[in-house]
Amino acid sequence: MGQSRCSEGESEELDRKPGLDPEMANQKVRVGESVFSVDRALLTRNCEYFRALFQSGMRECQQEEIHVKGLRARGFLVTLSVLNGERPILNDEEIIEAIECAAFLQVDALTKHLINIIHSDNCLLMYHTAATYGLWELYHSAALFIRDMYRDLEEDARCLPDELLQYVESLVPSTYVTVGTHSPTIKLLQDFQRTVCYLDEDEKEWKVLTDLPVDASTTMAGVTVLNNKLYIVGGVRDVTNQVVEPCFCYDPVIDTWSTFVSPQQLRYNFTLVGHEDYLYAIGGEYERTTMSSVERYKLSTCTWSLVSQLPRPVAGAACTKAMSRIFVCLWRPMDTTDIYEYVPPEDRWVHITALIRQHSYGHCMVAHRDNLYVMRNGPCDDFLRCMMDCYNLTTGQWTAMPGLYENSEGALFTAVVRGDSVFTVKRKMTLEFTIEDKKKWKPKKEMNGFPRIGSMWTFLLRLPKMGKLPRGQGVLNGTLTLVSQLWNISNASSTWTES
């Protein structure tokens, strides 16, 4: 951000903020009583208002100083910081002023940043202010967040105008969905294992959403959700680790499966993550060789392409997204978990931080607000206990979560965050935690477990109201003893079986 001349009350506060490189600042912009020296090209690339102004040929665009009326200096300062790659955490006043700027100047990058920092403390303010200024993308995103947390926010939401409440209530909330380990060669287990299931939170029961395609495998596959569609890539057919080549996509809105082409490099035991218009297949194995290669699938063109490799080979890496950023855990023996971020515009991996703890092999990582939670083994490699550490992206600080968390049957290694809640699942119990800042996860509600054997993938989908009706028999009350017997008969064990 540039050097600015501000009125006497604002000057000290604004001068503390980082600025633009003075050598790039070639356009003066007056906002209120403040004058900013800004890179003209930066404004042209990122602000529809300035792009139209500079291309219009109007007298104003030739002036040394452009006066923008109706905005406040602090909101413009936040806009410039976001355009320069910063990710500021904003207070309520800054949020209002930033929304004003995003709407008036039509700054997509600022709108995306505001969406990324929606949380339970500011979602109602974001929603109401976005409606006031007509910032519809933020308006819809905040409404979806409120809908997902409606039970917790319902009393506070009563302060909203009726039409805003009605819009929230018209939306479909996210539903907790799980799929278990399935291989297409296990014919005897099709009825038990070859299903995708959702959690009916009112009845605290798991119900069948859809059957997996007959040829689909979730054994050592990549599984993720993008744009409210479920994607399954890879997976193996049997103990020979023969990779399933067709990839599968499930659209819950129309209750239909489709297929798409496999990556250029066949792989299993890899991490699949969805971001914007891409699926990223990260690392994994092929023919018992661990890989560092990464491919991405562009949905709009239906093509795979190689991108920058991981710093080192990894299989089954823990991965999460926070504030629309992709983070992956890599392991460097001994007792070190490195966290890297993939930066798509630059196609590079950036080392963010390292966790050095005894048994710090990170099995799972989830994000809440600007925090990354890494779940790892308990003391002495005790897989029945789980320890957690929290890394804050804004401050760059680690916090050790106090106490040990029960991790029987790998529950915390399948955690999914929705609002301020974390859902974990195992065969005997599904448990919802409330995230209380970086202090602890507090148990909130118990529900029936997911009666399956093997590994589980958990995610969120917005299911049409009719689509949430149970398929066939509905509730999953299959007998674990019978499932285990059939599993043993099939002799199709997976190296991913849970602890």
Side-chain angles (χ1 to χ4, degrees):
M1 282 180 286
Q3 305 298 320
S4 58
R5 297 195 303 271
C6 309
S7 61
E8 224 175 288
E10 295 176 308
S11 179
E12 183 178 349
E13 178 185 355
L14 296 181
D15 284 345
R16 289 198 297 266
K17 301 279 187 176
L20 286 171
D21 184 344
E23 295 182 0
M24 300 294 292
N26 52 21
Q27 176 66 62
K28 293 182 179 179
V29 179
R30 175 179 292 275
V31 182
E33 298 299 321
S34 301
V35 176
F36 300 87
S37 294
V38 187
D39 178 16
R40 185 182 179 111
L42 183 75
L43 296 178
T44 304
R45 286 195 307 270
N46 296 284
C47 301
E48 185 63 36
Y49 172 89
F50 286 105
R51 182 160 52 249
L53 178 65
F54 294 147
Q55 294 174 354
S56 68
M58 296 173 62
R59 183 182 62 183
E60 287 82 354
C61 69
Q62 305 299 327
Q63 296 174 348
E64 180 182 354
E65 180 180 298
I66 297 175
H67 189 190
V68 180
K69 300 179 180 180
L71 299 179
R72 286 171 276 189
R74 182 165 50 186
F76 191 67
L77 194 65
V78 170
T79 302
L80 294 180
S81 70
V82 171
L83 294 184
N84 278 289
E86 299 174 35
R87 302 177 180 90
I89 301 299
L90 308 178
N91 62 33
D92 287 354
E93 291 184 1
E94 290 170 332
I95 286 173
I96 293 172
E97 295 175 20
I99 292 175
E100 290 176 344
C101 280
F104 184 80
L105 301 178
Q106 300 180 59
V107 188
D108 289 342
L110 179 56
T111 301
K112 290 179 180 178
H113 176 68
L114 290 165
I115 291 171
N116 289 338
I117 62 173
I118 295 173
H119 55 68
S120 56
D121 295 331
N122 65 26
C123 58
L124 296 174
L125 174 66
M126 289 259 203
Y127 182 48
H128 188 272
T129 309
T132 301
Y133 289 97
L135 198 60
W136 303 120
E137 187 178 358
L138 177 62
Y139 168 83
H140 181 65
S141 297
L144 288 173
F145 185 93
I146 295 168
R147 187 67 184 91
D148 284 346
M149 289 196 64
Y150 202 47
R151 292 181 182 179
D152 296 322
L153 296 173
E154 189 171 7
E155 184 174 345
D156 291 335
R158 292 174 184 170
C159 66
L160 294 172
D162 289 344
E163 60 271 20
L164 297 189
L165 271 179
Q166 291 170 8
Y167 182 69
V168 169
E169 292 172 351
S170 72
L171 299 173
V172 177
S174 294
T175 298
Y176 191 46
V177 181
T178 294
V179 60
T181 300
H182 166 73
S183 171
T185 61
I186 308 173
K187 303 300 184 182
L188 291 174
L189 288 182
Q190 283 188 4
D191 291 341
F192 293 96
Q193 299 290 107
R194 197 173 63 85
T195 52
V196 179
C197 303
Y198 72 93
L199 181 63
D200 186 325
E201 295 178 52
D202 292 327
E203 299 183 16
K204 300 182 179 181
E205 292 279 6
W206 287 96
K207 299 180 179 179
V208 174
L209 174 64
T210 184
D211 291 317
L212 288 169
V214 174
D215 293 329
S217 173
T218 55
T219 302
M220 305 179 80
V223 179
T224 194
V225 167
L226 178 61
N227 299 333
N228 202 46
K229 294 181 181 179
L230 170 63
Y231 292 89
I232 300 174
V233 175
V236 296
R237 294 186 180 278
D238 50 39
V239 293
T240 64
N241 288 343
Q242 180 187 359
V243 179
V244 174
E245 294 195 23
C247 302
F248 299 88
C249 173
Y250 175 67
D251 186 343
V253 175
I254 58 176
D255 189 26
T256 300
W257 287 92
S258 59
T259 60
F260 59 102
V261 296
S262 63
Q264 299 175 27
Q265 169 63 65
L266 296 179
R267 62 187 75 214
Y268 56 87
N269 198 11
F270 65 98
T271 301
L272 187 69
V273 60
H275 179 65
E276 295 182 345
D277 189 38
Y278 295 95
L279 301 176
Y280 291 85
I282 301 172
E285 300 176 73
Y286 185 68
E287 295 183 346
R288 303 184 184 278
T289 299
T290 304
M291 300 183 295
S292 59
S293 68
V294 181
E295 290 186 60
R296 68 180 184 183
Y297 178 79
K298 189 171 184 179
L299 272 63
S300 58
T301 61
C302 303
T303 56
W304 287 95
S305 60
L306 290 168
V307 296
S308 179
Q309 290 192 353
L310 291 162
R312 53 184 173 273
V314 67
C319 180
T320 193
K321 290 201 307 180
M323 301 174 70
S324 289
R325 301 164 64 186
I326 302 171
F327 297 94
V328 176
C329 284
L330 302 184
W331 304 287
R332 183 182 59 206
M334 289 281 299
D335 299 330
T336 301
T337 295
D338 283 323
I339 296 180
Y340 282 84
E341 177 185 1
Y342 179 69
V343 185
E346 303 171 16
D347 186 25
R348 67 188 183 104
W349 292 92
V350 178
H351 185 260
I352 300 299
T353 185
L355 173 66
I356 302 176
R357 297 278 194 277
Q358 186 178 12
H359 309 300
S360 72
Y361 185 95
H363 288 276
C364 181
M365 180 168 58
V366 296
H368 176 251
R369 300 192 181 186
D370 58 340
N371 296 310
L372 302 178
Y373 291 90
V374 177
M375 280 77 93
R376 55 193 175 87
N377 295 348
C380 302
D381 256 352
D382 182 1
F383 281 87
L384 297 181
R385 298 286 180 179
C386 176
M387 300 188 74
M388 282 194 287
D389 296 87
C390 175
Y391 180 74
N392 184 266
L393 294 166
T394 303
T395 65
Q397 299 295 316
W398 281 99
T399 302
M401 302 283 283
L404 289 172
Y405 288 80
E406 184 71 31
N407 194 46
S408 175
E409 301 167 10
L412 281 177
F413 297 158
T414 58
V416 175
V417 174
R418 186 185 68 189
D420 288 343
S421 293
V422 178
F423 285 87
T424 66
V425 62
K426 54 186 178 180
R427 288 199 296 265
K428 296 180 180 178
M429 178 178 63
T430 299
L431 181 61
E432 178 184 357
F433 291 89
T434 298
I435 301 177
E436 296 186 347
D437 196 24
K438 291 176 284 186
K439 298 177 182 178
K440 63 178 180 179
W441 289 5
K442 181 180 179 180
K444 180 180 180 180
K445 182 169 60 175
E446 290 185 13
M447 290 162 282
N448 287 351
F450 187 68
R452 300 295 176 86
I453 58 178
S455 301
M456 289 177 276
W457 286 261
T458 53
F459 40 89
L460 296 170
L461 283 174
R462 297 188 187 276
L463 307 179
K465 294 179 181 179
M466 291 303 295
K468 288 184 65 174
L469 293 175
R471 179 193 64 79
Q473 74 279 10
V475 181
L476 289 177
N477 289 323
T479 306
L480 289 177
T481 302
L482 178 57
V483 174
S484 299
Q485 290 174 349
L486 290 173
W487 180 267
N488 292 331
I489 292 171
S490 69
N491 289 320
S493 60
S494 167
T495 57
W496 272 43
T497 52
E498 64 189 7
S499 306

